[in-house]
Amino acid sequence: MADPRRPAATGVAQRGFTLVEVLASFVVFALLFATMMQVLSGSLSNTRNASSYTEAALWAQSRMAAVGIDPPIEEGRWEGEFDDVYSWEIVITPHLVDEDTVAEPDYFPVSLFLVELIVHWNEVQRPRQAVFRTLRTATREGG
C-alpha cells in the first residue's frame, strides 16, 4: 500500500531551479536594479537643477522690476545679494542699433539701454549662473 503522506507519482519528474538559473536571474535583477537607481538619481538631480533655475528666475524677475528705480537706467554696473545663496550683477549699456550707431537720434526723446542681469549661486560645490536680458528706455536729460 502507498504511503498517504506521499503524493502519488504522476509520471513527470518534479524539479526545481538549478544554481546556474538562480545566479543568472540574480545577475539580471542586479543589472536592472542598478540601471533604475541611475535613472532615479539623474531624475532627482534634474529636478534639483530645475528648482534652482526657477528660483533664480523668480529672483531675477523681482530685480528686473526694480531697474529704473534702483539702479537708475544709466550706463554702469551694480551688484548685490538676494540671500545667502543667490547674488546678482547688473550691467546696463547703451543699446546699439547696428555696429556703429547708438539708438539716440536727435528727434527721439528717449535713450535705449540693454539691461543684463546675471544671477549667481553655488550648487553642490559647483558655481551656476543664469543670464537675463531686456531693453529699457530712459528719458534723455534736456530732451
Side-chain angles (χ1 to χ4, degrees):
M1 177 137 184
D3 186 2
R5 293 174 290 173
R6 186 178 241 187
T10 60
V12 176
Q14 292 182 347
R15 60 171 255 201
F17 293 105
T18 65
L19 181 59
V20 172
E21 292 170 328
V22 171
L23 288 175
S25 64
F26 182 74
V27 167
V28 168
F29 171 77
L31 290 173
L32 289 174
F33 185 74
T35 302
M36 288 303 298
M37 291 305 292
Q38 284 181 337
V39 167
L40 288 174
S41 174
S43 179
L44 287 173
S45 176
N46 288 340
T47 301
R48 191 176 324 113
N49 287 342
S51 175
S52 296
Y53 277 101
T54 299
E55 190 169 352
L58 291 172
W59 282 119
Q61 183 179 15
S62 68
R63 186 72 236 160
M64 281 289 207
V67 170
I69 301 167
D70 178 36
I73 299 179
E74 60 186 32
E75 188 170 4
R77 181 180 176 280
W78 297 266
E79 58 184 43
E81 294 182 354
F82 292 116
D83 62 9
D84 293 340
V85 177
Y86 293 87
S87 62
W88 57 270
E89 175 184 351
I90 290 180
V91 178
I92 300 177
T93 55
H95 180 65
L96 301 177
V97 175
D98 59 34
E99 294 177 2
D100 300 322
T101 309
V102 174
E104 294 185 7
D106 293 335
Y107 58 88
F108 202 55
V110 295
S111 298
L112 191 59
F113 289 91
L114 174 66
V115 179
E116 184 175 63
L117 171 65
I118 305 160
V119 179
H120 304 274
W121 71 96
N122 285 326
E123 187 174 279
V124 192
Q125 305 300 343
R126 187 173 175 194
R128 299 273 186 173
Q129 71 178 22
V131 179
F132 304 89
R133 292 181 183 95
T134 189
L135 293 174
R136 293 286 172 94
T137 59
T139 305
R140 278 206 231 151
E141 306 269 331

